[in-house]
PDB file of all heavy atoms in Angstrom:
ATOM      1  N   LEU A  72      10.081 -17.640  -2.662  1.00  0.00           N
ATOM      2  CA  LEU A  72      10.365 -16.895  -1.439  1.00  0.00           C
ATOM      3  C   LEU A  72       9.514 -15.634  -1.432  1.00  0.00           C
ATOM      4  O   LEU A  72       9.403 -14.942  -2.442  1.00  0.00           O
ATOM      5  CB  LEU A  72      11.853 -16.515  -1.374  1.00  0.00           C
ATOM      6  CG  LEU A  72      12.361 -15.914  -0.069  1.00  0.00           C
ATOM      7  CD1 LEU A  72      12.519 -16.999   0.989  1.00  0.00           C
ATOM      8  CD2 LEU A  72      13.696 -15.202  -0.265  1.00  0.00           C
ATOM      9  N   LEU A  73       8.908 -15.349  -0.280  1.00  0.00           N
ATOM     10  CA  LEU A  73       8.150 -14.117  -0.085  1.00  0.00           C
ATOM     11  C   LEU A  73       8.806 -13.320   1.036  1.00  0.00           C
ATOM     12  O   LEU A  73       9.093 -13.859   2.106  1.00  0.00           O
ATOM     13  CB  LEU A  73       6.700 -14.420   0.296  1.00  0.00           C
ATOM     14  CG  LEU A  73       5.870 -13.228   0.799  1.00  0.00           C
ATOM     15  CD1 LEU A  73       5.668 -12.198  -0.309  1.00  0.00           C
ATOM     16  CD2 LEU A  73       4.522 -13.698   1.353  1.00  0.00           C
ATOM     17  N   ILE A  74       9.022 -12.033   0.799  1.00  0.00           N
ATOM     18  CA  ILE A  74       9.579 -11.142   1.818  1.00  0.00           C
ATOM     19  C   ILE A  74       8.511 -10.114   2.174  1.00  0.00           C
ATOM     20  O   ILE A  74       8.071  -9.350   1.314  1.00  0.00           O
ATOM     21  CB  ILE A  74      10.842 -10.418   1.325  1.00  0.00           C
ATOM     22  CG1 ILE A  74      11.857 -11.421   0.781  1.00  0.00           C
ATOM     23  CG2 ILE A  74      11.448  -9.598   2.460  1.00  0.00           C
ATOM     24  CD1 ILE A  74      13.015 -10.773   0.052  1.00  0.00           C
ATOM     25  N   GLU A  75       8.082 -10.101   3.426  1.00  0.00           N
ATOM     26  CA  GLU A  75       7.083  -9.140   3.892  1.00  0.00           C
ATOM     27  C   GLU A  75       7.646  -8.347   5.062  1.00  0.00           C
ATOM     28  O   GLU A  75       8.551  -8.785   5.760  1.00  0.00           O
ATOM     29  CB  GLU A  75       5.801  -9.853   4.297  1.00  0.00           C
ATOM     30  CG  GLU A  75       5.976 -10.932   5.351  1.00  0.00           C
ATOM     31  CD  GLU A  75       4.641 -11.567   5.738  1.00  0.00           C
ATOM     32  OE1 GLU A  75       3.813 -10.842   6.334  1.00  0.00           O
ATOM     33  OE2 GLU A  75       4.442 -12.770   5.445  1.00  0.00           O
ATOM     34  N   GLY A  76       7.075  -7.160   5.278  1.00  0.00           N
ATOM     35  CA  GLY A  76       7.592  -6.275   6.312  1.00  0.00           C
ATOM     36  C   GLY A  76       7.331  -6.750   7.716  1.00  0.00           C
ATOM     37  O   GLY A  76       8.076  -6.435   8.644  1.00  0.00           O
ATOM     38  N   GLY A 103      10.093 -20.518   3.055  1.00  0.00           N
ATOM     39  CA  GLY A 103      10.047 -19.516   2.000  1.00  0.00           C
ATOM     40  C   GLY A 103       9.336 -18.234   2.385  1.00  0.00           C
ATOM     41  O   GLY A 103       9.012 -17.429   1.501  1.00  0.00           O
ATOM     42  N   ASN A 104       9.109 -18.012   3.672  1.00  0.00           N
ATOM     43  CA  ASN A 104       8.460 -16.772   4.122  1.00  0.00           C
ATOM     44  C   ASN A 104       9.429 -15.994   5.012  1.00  0.00           C
ATOM     45  O   ASN A 104       9.826 -16.476   6.070  1.00  0.00           O
ATOM     46  CB  ASN A 104       7.174 -17.076   4.886  1.00  0.00           C
ATOM     47  CG  ASN A 104       6.453 -15.807   5.333  1.00  0.00           C
ATOM     48  OD1 ASN A 104       6.876 -15.136   6.262  1.00  0.00           O
ATOM     49  ND2 ASN A 104       5.339 -15.503   4.681  1.00  0.00           N
ATOM     50  N   VAL A 105       9.805 -14.795   4.576  1.00  0.00           N
ATOM     51  CA  VAL A 105      10.722 -13.949   5.334  1.00  0.00           C
ATOM     52  C   VAL A 105       9.933 -12.824   5.993  1.00  0.00           C
ATOM     53  O   VAL A 105       9.306 -12.007   5.311  1.00  0.00           O
ATOM     54  CB  VAL A 105      11.800 -13.324   4.422  1.00  0.00           C
ATOM     55  CG1 VAL A 105      12.760 -12.469   5.259  1.00  0.00           C
ATOM     56  CG2 VAL A 105      12.555 -14.394   3.664  1.00  0.00           C
ATOM     57  N   ASN A 106       9.964 -12.788   7.310  1.00  0.00           N
ATOM     58  CA  ASN A 106       9.427 -11.662   8.064  1.00  0.00           C
ATOM     59  C   ASN A 106      10.593 -10.708   8.297  1.00  0.00           C
ATOM     60  O   ASN A 106      11.470 -10.968   9.116  1.00  0.00           O
ATOM     61  CB  ASN A 106       8.834 -12.151   9.392  1.00  0.00           C
ATOM     62  CG  ASN A 106       8.223 -11.026  10.216  1.00  0.00           C
ATOM     63  OD1 ASN A 106       8.605  -9.867  10.089  1.00  0.00           O
ATOM     64  ND2 ASN A 106       7.284 -11.366  11.083  1.00  0.00           N
ATOM     65  N   ALA A 107      10.590  -9.580   7.576  1.00  0.00           N
ATOM     66  CA  ALA A 107      11.739  -8.681   7.601  1.00  0.00           C
ATOM     67  C   ALA A 107      12.001  -8.090   8.979  1.00  0.00           C
ATOM     68  O   ALA A 107      13.117  -7.670   9.275  1.00  0.00           O
ATOM     69  CB  ALA A 107      11.526  -7.546   6.589  1.00  0.00           C
ATOM     70  N   ILE A 146      17.803  -7.124   8.270  1.00  0.00           N
ATOM     71  CA  ILE A 146      16.831  -7.569   7.260  1.00  0.00           C
ATOM     72  C   ILE A 146      17.542  -8.376   6.180  1.00  0.00           C
ATOM     73  O   ILE A 146      17.061  -9.434   5.754  1.00  0.00           O
ATOM     74  CB  ILE A 146      16.089  -6.359   6.652  1.00  0.00           C
ATOM     75  CG1 ILE A 146      15.238  -5.660   7.717  1.00  0.00           C
ATOM     76  CG2 ILE A 146      15.211  -6.806   5.481  1.00  0.00           C
ATOM     77  CD1 ILE A 146      14.649  -4.342   7.270  1.00  0.00           C
ATOM     78  N   ASN A 149      18.249 -11.739   7.512  1.00  0.00           N
ATOM     79  CA  ASN A 149      17.032 -12.564   7.508  1.00  0.00           C
ATOM     80  C   ASN A 149      16.793 -13.159   6.130  1.00  0.00           C
ATOM     81  O   ASN A 149      16.436 -14.339   5.995  1.00  0.00           O
ATOM     82  CB  ASN A 149      15.818 -11.730   7.924  1.00  0.00           C
ATOM     83  CG  ASN A 149      15.778 -11.437   9.409  1.00  0.00           C
ATOM     84  OD1 ASN A 149      16.376 -12.145  10.207  1.00  0.00           O
ATOM     85  ND2 ASN A 149      15.063 -10.385   9.793  1.00  0.00           N
ATOM     86  N   ILE A 150      16.967 -12.345   5.102  1.00  0.00           N
ATOM     87  CA  ILE A 150      16.793 -12.828   3.726  1.00  0.00           C
ATOM     88  C   ILE A 150      17.809 -13.919   3.422  1.00  0.00           C
ATOM     89  O   ILE A 150      17.474 -14.968   2.846  1.00  0.00           O
ATOM     90  CB  ILE A 150      16.923 -11.656   2.735  1.00  0.00           C
ATOM     91  CG1 ILE A 150      15.768 -10.664   2.929  1.00  0.00           C
ATOM     92  CG2 ILE A 150      16.943 -12.169   1.293  1.00  0.00           C
ATOM     93  CD1 ILE A 150      15.922  -9.368   2.163  1.00  0.00           C
ATOM     94  N   HIS A 153      16.921 -17.384   4.919  1.00  0.00           N
ATOM     95  CA  HIS A 153      15.848 -18.105   4.229  1.00  0.00           C
ATOM     96  C   HIS A 153      16.270 -18.549   2.826  1.00  0.00           C
ATOM     97  O   HIS A 153      15.843 -19.611   2.367  1.00  0.00           O
ATOM     98  CB  HIS A 153      14.592 -17.238   4.166  1.00  0.00           C
ATOM     99  CG  HIS A 153      13.875 -17.151   5.481  1.00  0.00           C
ATOM    100  ND1 HIS A 153      12.818 -17.978   5.807  1.00  0.00           N
ATOM    101  CD2 HIS A 153      14.079 -16.366   6.560  1.00  0.00           C
ATOM    102  CE1 HIS A 153      12.394 -17.687   7.019  1.00  0.00           C
ATOM    103  NE2 HIS A 153      13.149 -16.717   7.506  1.00  0.00           N
TER     104      HIS A 153
END
Side-chain angles (χ1 to χ4, degrees):
L72 189 76
L73 168 66
I74 307 170
E75 56 178 293
N104 182 286
V105 181
N106 181 334
I146 295 171
N149 285 338
I150 294 171
H153 285 265

